[in-house]
Amino acid sequence: VLNDRLQDRSTEIAQSMAYASRIQRTILPDLDRHPDLFEDHAVLLRSKDTVGGDMYWSGTNGSTSYLVLLDCTGHGIPGAMLTMLCHGVLNEVVFGQMARSSAEVIDLTQQRLDDHLDRHHSGNKDSAEMAVICFDRERGTVTFAGLGCSLMIAEEKEVRTIRGARALPTQLSRNYTVPEFDLDLSKDPTLFLFSDGVVDQFDTHQRRKFTQRRLESAIEST
């Protein structure tokens, strides 16, 4: 009888998680709707659990479009709940507060997370590492800013990395601004945004992580 109750409970939890995964994936943008931004694109999203803390977001306000990668604290349900919060925050920042640059998207998002999670007073360390690419049609520019996340650029058989700002161990100061980088796309490069879920993959046989250097080598070899 106990085994039957445990099996029923396990099935109930699995079904609930699967339903939560469907809800979480409905907020992911359809990048096929942005042929003006991407000649081609691919997304690899495999949560450690059924739901997780990694997500991507895109939005356009006037002549400016943003592509955002988020790596939220935690795995499973806690991380997934943060992604839902961040999704609302990004909508607020881009469409409500009218962010004007990739760095400003990060700054405003972190400030809103400070407020929503009361990080200044509660000591809450839940956060979201971010990478943002901003496409400004009016100025004809493309910029990148990162907080804890980097950008890899592959062009002419060479791979280089623009490292994002180091994520602070606690909440951001209101005076903290992440650096912003101009991207030259004249050589038609391939851009790679990734979370630490890729580079921290652990090889139990070799007892070492995959690492960012191995990711660069893998991209170069292909």
Side-chain angles (χ1 to χ4, degrees):
V1 176
L2 178 59
N3 285 343
D4 290 340
R5 291 177 61 187
L6 289 174
Q7 181 60 51
D8 290 343
R9 184 57 176 161
S10 177
T11 300
E12 180 183 338
I13 292 173
Q15 291 175 342
S16 178
M17 293 281 283
Y19 186 34
S21 177
R22 290 198 296 271
I23 294 174
Q24 186 182 30
R25 287 180 177 272
T26 60
I27 68 174
L28 297 176
D30 181 3
L31 299 182
D32 287 325
R33 296 182 179 180
H34 299 283
D36 54 327
L37 300 183
F38 313 111
E39 181 177 311
D40 194 10
H41 69 272
V43 177
L44 175 63
L45 180 61
R46 294 180 180 176
S47 299
K48 176 179 177 290
D49 302 304
T50 307
V51 293
D54 288 357
M55 68 167 287
Y56 56 97
W57 181 96
S58 69
T60 298
N61 194 338
S63 62
T64 307
S65 296
Y66 300 94
L67 175 64
V68 182
L69 172 74
L70 284 161
D71 181 2
C72 298
T73 301
H75 299 289
I77 294 175
M81 292 186 69
L82 267 179
T83 66
M84 303 299 283
L85 172 60
C86 288
H87 181 270
V89 167
L90 283 168
N91 285 333
E92 179 182 347
V93 164
V94 172
F95 303 126
Q97 294 191 10
M98 305 289 285
R100 294 179 294 273
S101 68
S102 53
E104 196 167 47
V105 168
I106 294 178
D107 294 338
L108 292 174
T109 297
Q110 295 299 326
Q111 289 177 22
R112 297 304 295 151
L113 288 177
D114 280 346
D115 296 335
H116 285 303
L117 299 174
D118 195 24
R119 293 192 296 194
H120 283 298
H121 300 99
S122 67
N124 188 317
K125 296 183 180 180
D126 294 329
S127 62
E129 297 183 347
M130 304 175 63
V132 182
I133 298 179
C134 172
F135 304 85
D136 191 324
R137 297 180 188 82
E138 184 175 336
R139 298 179 181 177
T141 60
V142 181
T143 58
F144 164 77
L147 180 71
C149 293
S150 301
L151 168 70
M152 285 188 185
I153 303 174
E155 58 184 4
E156 297 182 345
K157 299 182 180 180
E158 179 182 355
V159 177
R160 59 188 176 91
T161 299
I162 300 178
R163 295 186 179 275
R166 182 179 179 182
L168 300 180
T170 56
Q171 69 276 359
L172 285 176
S173 163
R174 297 283 172 156
N175 298 320
Y176 182 82
T177 302
V178 299
E180 193 170 83
F181 303 89
D182 292 321
L183 302 182
D184 179 6
L185 305 185
S186 60
K187 297 181 180 179
D188 195 24
T190 302
L191 309 179
F192 295 87
L193 296 178
F194 56 96
S195 72
D196 61 10
V198 175
V199 296
D200 285 351
Q201 285 290 320
F202 195 74
D203 186 330
T204 55
H205 297 291
Q206 299 184 23
R207 297 185 179 278
R208 61 185 181 184
K209 293 181 179 180
F210 183 58
T211 74
Q212 187 165 305
R213 182 176 298 178
R214 289 190 178 87
L215 177 60
E216 290 178 352
S217 297
I219 293 173
E220 284 180 348
S221 66
T222 56

